[in-house]
Structure formats: structure tokens, C-alpha cells
């Protein structure tokens, strides 16, 4: 495989550290919207920093999951099986990133 486990470990720890600090902010933002109307939620999502935060959290979460699955598949599967699993998960991760960012953009900008 192309990545050394040492670098994978470092990037996974960095993404975890990022998520530890940003997820509480994300949860507080959406907890404050629990009784909000649809229009109030859209107005909150149209502020410049909320979509950026959501996008970064989505990308960091999916990247963190990808790194974890890579490490697990390299440790417990044969080289060919690990390669297939990692490639499939990479394609799924990129697809989910694109879909979620497109969905967020559609919600913010309107149909």
C-alpha cells in the first residue's frame, strides 16, 4: 500500500483532534435550533461560517473513518483483499463527500 502506517496514524490523530474541538461547536449550533422554524434554520445556514464548519466536519469525519478502515483492513486482511477494500472505501468516501457538500450547497442556495 502507498501510505506508511506511521503517517496514517498521525493523520488520524490530527483529524480526531480537529473533530474533538469542532464537534461540540457544531452540536451547540444545532441544539440552539431545536425549536426553530425552517426559515430560521436556513438563515443560520446562510451565515458564512456555519456552512464552512459543517463542510470541514463532514470532510474530517469521512477522512478519519477512511483512515481507520485502511488500518483495520491492512492489519486483518490479505494484501489483495485489503487493496480492494481500501479502494472501495476511498471511492465511497469521495462520493459521500461530494454528495454531502452538494446537498449542503443546495440547502443553502436553494433549488
Amino acid at each position: 500500500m502507498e501510505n506508511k502506517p506511521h503517517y496514517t496514524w498521525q493523520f488520524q490523530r490530527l483529524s480526531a483532534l480537529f473533530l474533538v474541538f469542532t464537534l461540540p461547536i457544531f452540536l451547540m449550533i444545532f441544539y440552539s435550533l431545536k425549536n426553530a422554524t425552517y426559515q430560521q434554520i436556513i438563515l443560520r445556514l446562510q451565515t458564512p461560517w456555519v456552512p464552512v464548519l459543517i463542510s470541514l466536519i463532514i470532510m474530517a469525519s469521512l477522512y478519519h473513518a477512511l483512515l481507520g478502515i485502511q488500518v483495520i483492513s491492512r492489519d486483518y486482511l490479505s494484501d489483495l483483499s485489503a487493496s480492494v477494500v481500501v479502494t472501495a472505501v476511498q471511492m465511497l468516501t469521495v462520493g459521500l463527500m461530494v454528495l454531502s457538500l452538494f446537498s449542503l450547497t443546495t440547502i443553502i442556495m436553494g433549488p
Side-chain angles (χ1 to χ4, degrees):
M1 307 301 267
E2 66 278 349
N3 286 345
K4 295 181 180 177
H6 177 71
Y7 296 118
T8 302
W9 181 86
Q10 288 178 336
F11 287 129
Q12 192 168 29
R13 295 309 180 262
L14 285 174
S15 64
L17 187 64
F18 175 78
L19 290 170
V20 162
F21 287 110
T22 55
L23 277 176
I25 297 167
F26 174 78
L27 293 174
M28 285 188 297
I29 290 169
F30 280 95
Y31 182 75
S32 70
L33 295 173
K34 70 177 183 174
N35 294 324
T37 65
Y38 177 77
Q39 291 302 322
Q40 291 170 327
I41 294 170
I42 295 300
L43 284 175
R44 176 63 62 97
L45 287 174
Q46 289 176 341
T47 59
W49 60 275
V50 173
V52 171
L53 177 68
I54 294 171
S55 300
L56 290 173
I57 287 174
I58 289 169
M59 290 188 298
S61 299
L62 290 171
Y63 183 68
H64 184 78
L66 171 67
L67 292 175
I69 292 171
Q70 282 180 345
V71 169
I72 290 170
S73 63
R74 286 183 188 149
D75 287 346
Y76 295 106
L77 299 175
S78 66
D79 286 339
L80 179 60
S81 298
S83 178
V84 170
V85 168
V86 167
T87 302
V89 170
Q90 286 174 342
M91 291 187 328
L92 179 66
T93 301
V94 169
L96 286 173
M97 282 184 186
V98 169
L99 179 65
S100 59
L101 295 176
F102 174 76
S103 299
L104 182 62
T105 304
T106 303
I107 290 170
I108 293 167
M109 302 300 260

PDB file of all heavy atoms in Angstrom, residues 68-82:
ATOM      1  N   GLY A  68      -9.216   4.929   9.451  1.00  0.00           N
ATOM      2  CA  GLY A  68      -9.440   3.816  10.363  1.00  0.00           C
ATOM      3  C   GLY A  68      -9.703   2.519   9.626  1.00  0.00           C
ATOM      4  O   GLY A  68      -9.166   1.460   9.983  1.00  0.00           O
ATOM      5  N   ILE A  69     -10.513   2.579   8.576  1.00  0.00           N
ATOM      6  CA  ILE A  69     -10.806   1.373   7.795  1.00  0.00           C
ATOM      7  C   ILE A  69      -9.562   0.894   7.059  1.00  0.00           C
ATOM      8  O   ILE A  69      -9.324  -0.314   6.941  1.00  0.00           O
ATOM      9  CB  ILE A  69     -11.983   1.627   6.838  1.00  0.00           C
ATOM     10  CG1 ILE A  69     -13.262   1.806   7.666  1.00  0.00           C
ATOM     11  CG2 ILE A  69     -12.143   0.496   5.846  1.00  0.00           C
ATOM     12  CD1 ILE A  69     -14.443   2.266   6.881  1.00  0.00           C
ATOM     13  N   GLN A  70      -8.730   1.823   6.587  1.00  0.00           N
ATOM     14  CA  GLN A  70      -7.479   1.430   5.937  1.00  0.00           C
ATOM     15  C   GLN A  70      -6.588   0.651   6.896  1.00  0.00           C
ATOM     16  O   GLN A  70      -6.042  -0.394   6.542  1.00  0.00           O
ATOM     17  CB  GLN A  70      -6.719   2.656   5.432  1.00  0.00           C
ATOM     18  CG  GLN A  70      -7.254   3.236   4.165  1.00  0.00           C
ATOM     19  CD  GLN A  70      -6.466   4.457   3.722  1.00  0.00           C
ATOM     20  OE1 GLN A  70      -5.687   5.033   4.484  1.00  0.00           O
ATOM     21  NE2 GLN A  70      -6.679   4.875   2.495  1.00  0.00           N
ATOM     22  N   VAL A  71      -6.420   1.148   8.095  1.00  0.00           N
ATOM     23  CA  VAL A  71      -5.553   0.497   9.072  1.00  0.00           C
ATOM     24  C   VAL A  71      -6.102  -0.880   9.447  1.00  0.00           C
ATOM     25  O   VAL A  71      -5.361  -1.871   9.487  1.00  0.00           O
ATOM     26  CB  VAL A  71      -5.385   1.385  10.330  1.00  0.00           C
ATOM     27  CG1 VAL A  71      -4.709   0.624  11.456  1.00  0.00           C
ATOM     28  CG2 VAL A  71      -4.603   2.636   9.980  1.00  0.00           C
ATOM     29  N   ILE A  72      -7.396  -0.961   9.688  1.00  0.00           N
ATOM     30  CA  ILE A  72      -8.002  -2.241  10.052  1.00  0.00           C
ATOM     31  C   ILE A  72      -7.871  -3.245   8.910  1.00  0.00           C
ATOM     32  O   ILE A  72      -7.515  -4.408   9.129  1.00  0.00           O
ATOM     33  CB  ILE A  72      -9.477  -2.049  10.449  1.00  0.00           C
ATOM     34  CG1 ILE A  72      -9.561  -1.312  11.782  1.00  0.00           C
ATOM     35  CG2 ILE A  72     -10.207  -3.385  10.538  1.00  0.00           C
ATOM     36  CD1 ILE A  72     -10.944  -0.853  12.148  1.00  0.00           C
ATOM     37  N   SER A  73      -8.130  -2.815   7.677  1.00  0.00           N
ATOM     38  CA  SER A  73      -8.050  -3.748   6.547  1.00  0.00           C
ATOM     39  C   SER A  73      -6.609  -4.185   6.296  1.00  0.00           C
ATOM     40  O   SER A  73      -6.374  -5.339   5.939  1.00  0.00           O
ATOM     41  CB  SER A  73      -8.660  -3.134   5.290  1.00  0.00           C
ATOM     42  OG  SER A  73      -7.945  -1.992   4.889  1.00  0.00           O
ATOM     43  N   ARG A  74      -5.644  -3.314   6.481  1.00  0.00           N
ATOM     44  CA  ARG A  74      -4.240  -3.706   6.314  1.00  0.00           C
ATOM     45  C   ARG A  74      -3.786  -4.676   7.398  1.00  0.00           C
ATOM     46  O   ARG A  74      -2.955  -5.538   7.148  1.00  0.00           O
ATOM     47  CB  ARG A  74      -3.347  -2.471   6.328  1.00  0.00           C
ATOM     48  CG  ARG A  74      -3.434  -1.670   5.077  1.00  0.00           C
ATOM     49  CD  ARG A  74      -2.487  -0.502   5.120  1.00  0.00           C
ATOM     50  NE  ARG A  74      -2.728   0.357   3.986  1.00  0.00           N
ATOM     51  CZ  ARG A  74      -2.548   1.651   3.987  1.00  0.00           C
ATOM     52  NH1 ARG A  74      -2.111   2.257   5.069  1.00  0.00           N
ATOM     53  NH2 ARG A  74      -2.783   2.355   2.912  1.00  0.00           N
ATOM     54  N   ASP A  75      -4.325  -4.513   8.585  1.00  0.00           N
ATOM     55  CA  ASP A  75      -3.920  -5.384   9.689  1.00  0.00           C
ATOM     56  C   ASP A  75      -4.550  -6.767   9.613  1.00  0.00           C
ATOM     57  O   ASP A  75      -3.927  -7.753   9.998  1.00  0.00           O
ATOM     58  CB  ASP A  75      -4.282  -4.749  11.034  1.00  0.00           C
ATOM     59  CG  ASP A  75      -3.380  -3.584  11.389  1.00  0.00           C
ATOM     60  OD1 ASP A  75      -2.325  -3.425  10.742  1.00  0.00           O
ATOM     61  OD2 ASP A  75      -3.740  -2.824  12.310  1.00  0.00           O
ATOM     62  N   TYR A  76      -5.777  -6.864   9.144  1.00  0.00           N
ATOM     63  CA  TYR A  76      -6.520  -8.113   9.262  1.00  0.00           C
ATOM     64  C   TYR A  76      -6.855  -8.799   7.947  1.00  0.00           C
ATOM     65  O   TYR A  76      -7.398  -9.898   7.963  1.00  0.00           O
ATOM     66  CB  TYR A  76      -7.816  -7.879  10.050  1.00  0.00           C
ATOM     67  CG  TYR A  76      -7.527  -7.478  11.477  1.00  0.00           C
ATOM     68  CD1 TYR A  76      -7.695  -6.168  11.895  1.00  0.00           C
ATOM     69  CD2 TYR A  76      -7.050  -8.398  12.403  1.00  0.00           C
ATOM     70  CE1 TYR A  76      -7.419  -5.793  13.201  1.00  0.00           C
ATOM     71  CE2 TYR A  76      -6.767  -8.037  13.703  1.00  0.00           C
ATOM     72  CZ  TYR A  76      -6.960  -6.732  14.090  1.00  0.00           C
ATOM     73  OH  TYR A  76      -6.673  -6.356  15.376  1.00  0.00           O
ATOM     74  N   LEU A  77      -6.574  -8.188   6.811  1.00  0.00           N
ATOM     75  CA  LEU A  77      -6.884  -8.802   5.523  1.00  0.00           C
ATOM     76  C   LEU A  77      -5.604  -9.058   4.739  1.00  0.00           C
ATOM     77  O   LEU A  77      -4.578  -8.426   4.986  1.00  0.00           O
ATOM     78  CB  LEU A  77      -7.815  -7.896   4.709  1.00  0.00           C
ATOM     79  CG  LEU A  77      -9.177  -7.577   5.319  1.00  0.00           C
ATOM     80  CD1 LEU A  77      -9.912  -6.578   4.442  1.00  0.00           C
ATOM     81  CD2 LEU A  77      -9.997  -8.837   5.490  1.00  0.00           C
ATOM     82  N   SER A  78      -5.679  -9.960   3.765  1.00  0.00           N
ATOM     83  CA  SER A  78      -4.532 -10.198   2.893  1.00  0.00           C
ATOM     84  C   SER A  78      -4.294  -8.955   2.035  1.00  0.00           C
ATOM     85  O   SER A  78      -5.155  -8.081   1.934  1.00  0.00           O
ATOM     86  CB  SER A  78      -4.791 -11.419   2.009  1.00  0.00           C
ATOM     87  OG  SER A  78      -5.846 -11.153   1.112  1.00  0.00           O
ATOM     88  N   ASP A  79      -3.142  -8.896   1.385  1.00  0.00           N
ATOM     89  CA  ASP A  79      -2.797  -7.705   0.602  1.00  0.00           C
ATOM     90  C   ASP A  79      -3.814  -7.407  -0.497  1.00  0.00           C
ATOM     91  O   ASP A  79      -4.212  -6.261  -0.693  1.00  0.00           O
ATOM     92  CB  ASP A  79      -1.407  -7.859  -0.016  1.00  0.00           C
ATOM     93  CG  ASP A  79      -0.301  -7.708   1.008  1.00  0.00           C
ATOM     94  OD1 ASP A  79      -0.549  -7.112   2.071  1.00  0.00           O
ATOM     95  OD2 ASP A  79       0.826  -8.179   0.741  1.00  0.00           O
ATOM     96  N   LEU A  80      -4.244  -8.447  -1.211  1.00  0.00           N
ATOM     97  CA  LEU A  80      -5.216  -8.235  -2.285  1.00  0.00           C
ATOM     98  C   LEU A  80      -6.569  -7.796  -1.729  1.00  0.00           C
ATOM     99  O   LEU A  80      -7.167  -6.839  -2.215  1.00  0.00           O
ATOM    100  CB  LEU A  80      -5.382  -9.508  -3.116  1.00  0.00           C
ATOM    101  CG  LEU A  80      -6.394  -9.416  -4.260  1.00  0.00           C
ATOM    102  CD1 LEU A  80      -5.985  -8.326  -5.249  1.00  0.00           C
ATOM    103  CD2 LEU A  80      -6.531 -10.752  -4.950  1.00  0.00           C
ATOM    104  N   SER A  81      -7.036  -8.460  -0.686  1.00  0.00           N
ATOM    105  CA  SER A  81      -8.320  -8.095  -0.080  1.00  0.00           C
ATOM    106  C   SER A  81      -8.258  -6.687   0.499  1.00  0.00           C
ATOM    107  O   SER A  81      -9.194  -5.900   0.350  1.00  0.00           O
ATOM    108  CB  SER A  81      -8.690  -9.074   1.028  1.00  0.00           C
ATOM    109  OG  SER A  81      -8.840 -10.369   0.508  1.00  0.00           O
ATOM    110  N   ALA A  82      -7.155  -6.359   1.162  1.00  0.00           N
ATOM    111  CA  ALA A  82      -7.002  -5.016   1.735  1.00  0.00           C
ATOM    112  C   ALA A  82      -7.008  -3.967   0.647  1.00  0.00           C
ATOM    113  O   ALA A  82      -7.618  -2.906   0.800  1.00  0.00           O
ATOM    114  CB  ALA A  82      -5.722  -4.938   2.555  1.00  0.00           C
TER     115      ALA A  82
END
